[in-house]
Amino acid sequence: MSDCLFCKIINGEIPSNKLYEDDKILAFYDISPIAPVHFLVIPKEHIQSVDAVNAQNSEVVAYIFAKIAKKAGIENGYRVVSNCGHDAGQTVPHLHFHVLGGKEMNWEV
Ligand code: AMP
Ligand code: ZN
């Protein structure tokens, strides 16, 4: 998608602080971290949100989780969040998983 921020990060038009990359996914540090460790994991295929995951494109989601478990390397656990749509505060319409860690987190909505 030509006007998608994360597609631009994937194709190098916009720089990012990369943590991991392969042919299917990219992980990079969030520009406005809300935890001591805060990175995003995205599929290279443009999928709008969790809501747009279906039987045809869901393989990459399992792949992301398999990689998160190995790449996170965060002591004492971590949280994975995916905001979907307006009420959840999704600001970038390209599926992304926030990985948060490095501190004890509470649970507020
Ligand atoms: P969300 O609000 O769930 O859609 O998450 C989008 C996230 O992308 C926010 O946490 C932003 O801080 C982050 N973000 C926006 N632009 C960039 C960028 N250029 N590099 C890294 N992270 C970004
Ligand atoms: Zn995109």
Side-chain angles (χ1 to χ4, degrees), residues 35-50:
V37 180
H38 184 179
F39 60 88
L40 303 171
V41 191
I42 65 176
K44 288 196 167 176
E45 178 188 352
H46 181 89
I47 299 170
Q48 184 135 341
S49 71
V50 165

Side-chain angles (χ1 to χ4, degrees), residues 14-59:
I14 292 175
S16 66
N17 188 2
K18 289 180 189 174
L19 178 71
Y20 176 77
E21 181 170 22
D22 63 26
D23 56 328
K24 295 184 192 63
I25 65 171
L26 173 66
F28 55 100
Y29 288 101
D30 197 292
I31 205 165
S32 306
I34 59 163
V37 180
H38 184 179
F39 60 88
L40 303 171
V41 191
I42 65 176
K44 288 196 167 176
E45 178 188 352
H46 181 89
I47 299 170
Q48 184 135 341
S49 71
V50 165
D51 213 32
V53 173
N54 58 41
Q56 281 70 50
N57 63 20
S58 61
E59 206 173 300

Side-chain angles (χ1 to χ4, degrees), residues 4 7 46 94:
C4 169
C7 283
H46 181 89
H94 180 127

Side-chain angles (χ1 to χ4, degrees), residues 5-6 28-32 40 83 89-92 96 98:
L5 175 68
F6 286 174
F28 55 100
Y29 288 101
D30 197 292
I31 205 165
S32 306
L40 303 171
N83 295 319
Q90 183 179 7
T91 58
V92 182
H96 51 283
H98 296 259

